[in-house]
Amino acid sequence: MNIVVGITGGIAAYKAVNVVRALVLAGHDVHVVATENALRFVGRPTLEALSRNLVHSDLYEGVAEVRHVAIGQAADLIVVAPATANTIAKLAGGFADDLLGNTILASTAPLVIAPAMHTEMWQNPATAHNIEVLRSRGVTVVGPAVGQLTGKDAGPGRMSEPDDIVAAALAVVGPRDLVGKRILVTAGGTREPLDPVRFIGNRSSGRQGIALALAAAARGADVTLIAANLEVAAPASVAVVRVGSTLELADATTDAAASADVVIMAAAVADYRPEVVAERKIKKEQQGDVLDLRLVKNPDILKGLSEIRRPGQVIIGFAAETEPDAAALLELGRAKIARKGCDYLVINRVGWSEGFATESNTVTVIDRSGVTVVEASGTKTSVSDSILDLLA
Ligand code: C5P
């Protein structure tokens, strides 16, 4: 898609850089139209490098090619992030005194804005009225979130997280083929406590699970994300239940699965936990040179859910494996889906620099008979969409 990202002059412009990046990584042709004030907050070279296109800001550049309307006419989608109170007022009034105003007025593409300003400005009746005007015209307003603002203050007005903005924006133009479906996604990696300050964990960041949750919500699903120790911010646009250990994940997942149409177990779950959790910090002075830990097996949540699933409920497991050989990896997956009894298994190779904690992923999805039904490679968002296409 040809997507115009309008960046206006608020400090949140530095975060809008990640909106540009995520849209490019998702395979879109991104054209940044920045106001002069936006370029005081974030440099043109940064935006050009990330968008891989020239950044436009001057109304009187490219006059011969009628650029003030051409950019908007070519756009399939326009996202303004951050949208300052001033820009929102200008959009509500239909002003065209800069390139962004012209671009938006000359476009029939859906418009998504992510407001960012101090709480007082957001709550000012003028801004509230302008937002109502824009909504009544079909503009999608993402956020703002409640949280820490630029100064010492906190409250509503903080720009939504870039991933949430991207998901909401793509949802406006994407398929709505999961409306009415309740989808439960687990994400992250469990931590098994040894004592009050230590745990045994894994390197899963939660990115793939979050991408799945956001992509499913964008397609209209009612999503619950059970999040185990995420390394990145949890999305604000889906319901999030936070857990720590495998036993906590098991409880939360079993509860939520009862009413879910689909369960996607993307979390990396510890197979074993310490048999005894020390009440106080384990001291090396009392242990000597060797510390023996006895681990006991955790319940297999995926297997358990597959055994009790309702007719029609779809259960998807993940298999993160370090096997380098593709054929052997597939065989491991086939054996695993037979053991677990789920409907589909998403197989991905993980390692020191693969799969876990990265922005991209390569997966093979097999069904219960071991047949490959999806092969996908790319950003975790695009991989999510391939998995959800299968589901839809
Ligand atoms: O057996 P393995 O850990 O490789 O299986 C991975 C899949 O099983 C993942 O979907 C993971 O979320 C799930 N799992 C589970 N309970 C466990 C271990 C893994 O649900 N105790």
Side-chain angles (χ1 to χ4, degrees):
M1 256 190 305
N2 178 321
I3 303 180
V4 169
V5 176
I7 302 185
T8 73
I11 178 63
Y14 86 93
K15 284 206 292 183
V17 165
N18 282 329
V19 172
V20 173
R21 183 160 181 265
L23 288 170
V24 170
L25 286 175
H28 301 291
D29 184 19
V30 176
H31 297 269
V32 173
V33 177
T35 63
E36 290 299 334
N37 287 331
L39 294 176
R40 292 170 185 248
F41 287 103
V42 53
R44 189 185 286 269
T46 307
L47 296 167
E48 292 190 346
L50 291 174
S51 71
R52 303 173 192 170
N53 278 312
L54 291 176
V55 167
H56 302 292
S57 61
D58 186 349
L59 193 51
Y60 293 98
E61 251 174 32
V63 175
E65 61 199 61
V66 209
R67 194 176 289 163
H68 71 293
V69 292
I71 300 170
Q73 284 170 339
D76 300 310
L77 170 68
I78 300 182
V79 184
V80 181
T84 58
N86 182 51
T87 294
I88 289 168
K90 291 205 307 188
L91 291 178
F95 280 73
D97 61 346
D98 60 10
L99 185 63
L100 183 60
N102 280 271
T103 299
I104 291 172
L105 278 189
S107 179
T108 53
L111 175 61
V112 176
I113 64 169
M117 64 200 73
H118 283 277
T119 303
E120 294 82 352
M121 296 172 85
W122 173 247
Q123 290 174 342
N124 187 290
T127 307
H129 174 73
N130 291 332
I131 287 287
E132 273 321 300
V133 168
L134 292 176
R135 282 207 171 106
S136 72
R137 284 187 204 142
V139 173
T140 301
V141 181
V142 187
V146 178
Q148 183 68 48
L149 302 170
T150 320
K152 287 186 178 145
D153 47 347
R158 182 184 159 90
M159 189 175 82
S160 289
E161 290 306 317
D163 283 350
D164 286 325
I165 297 170
V166 168
L170 295 179
V172 170
V173 285
R176 301 278 295 167
D177 47 8
L178 295 173
V179 173
K181 297 293 174 204
R182 281 160 303 179
I183 300 190
L184 170 63
V185 182
T186 66
T190 57
R191 291 178 177 179
E192 308 303 312
L194 291 169
D195 68 18
V197 294
R198 302 188 182 97
F199 57 84
I200 298 176
N202 62 68
R203 290 179 45 242
S204 173
S205 64
R207 283 189 177 84
Q208 183 63 71
I210 290 174
L212 274 161
L214 284 172
R219 292 166 78 146
D222 178 1
V223 178
T224 299
L225 178 71
I226 300 189
N229 312 299
L230 303 181
E231 235 178 53
V232 288
S237 50
V238 302
V240 178
V241 179
R242 289 187 185 272
V243 296
S245 66
T246 299
L247 292 180
E248 287 169 16
L249 179 72
D251 280 350
T253 307
T254 310
D255 276 359
S259 59
D261 299 304
V262 179
V263 179
I264 307 180
M265 286 289 299
V269 184
D271 293 320
Y272 296 91
R273 66 177 183 279
E275 185 172 39
V276 179
V277 180
E279 255 177 54
R280 292 186 181 195
K281 198 176 155 190
I282 299 169
K283 305 296 280 180
K284 57 181 168 294
E285 294 77 11
Q286 287 156 16
Q287 300 297 330
D289 288 343
V290 175
L291 168 61
D292 280 324
L293 279 179
R294 205 175 137 83
L295 304 178
V296 293
K297 202 150 197 194
N298 271 326
D300 191 319
I301 307 165
L302 179 61
K303 191 162 186 263
L305 291 178
S306 300
E307 279 162 8
I308 59 164
R309 74 156 140 339
R310 301 188 314 275
Q313 190 178 40
V314 179
I315 301 190
I316 304 182
F318 269 66
E321 298 289 351
T322 51
E323 170 59 55
D325 178 69
L329 182 66
L330 195 58
E331 277 317 311
L332 281 177
R334 288 183 176 140
K336 184 162 295 185
I337 197 166
R339 271 199 316 273
K340 302 269 185 179
C342 54
D343 299 290
Y344 297 102
L345 190 72
V346 182
I347 308 168
N348 69 320
R349 196 161 34 220
V350 294
W352 296 110
S353 59
E354 252 185 315
F356 277 0
T358 60
E359 302 280 352
S360 58
N361 210 357
T362 299
V363 305
T364 300
V365 185
I366 58 171
D367 68 10
R368 294 181 77 173
S369 55
V371 169
T372 298
V373 285
V374 172
E375 282 184 303
S377 184
T379 63
K380 288 184 172 173
T381 300
S382 74
V383 166
S384 300
D385 269 316
S386 301
I387 295 170
L388 296 178
D389 286 345
L390 168 77
L391 208 54

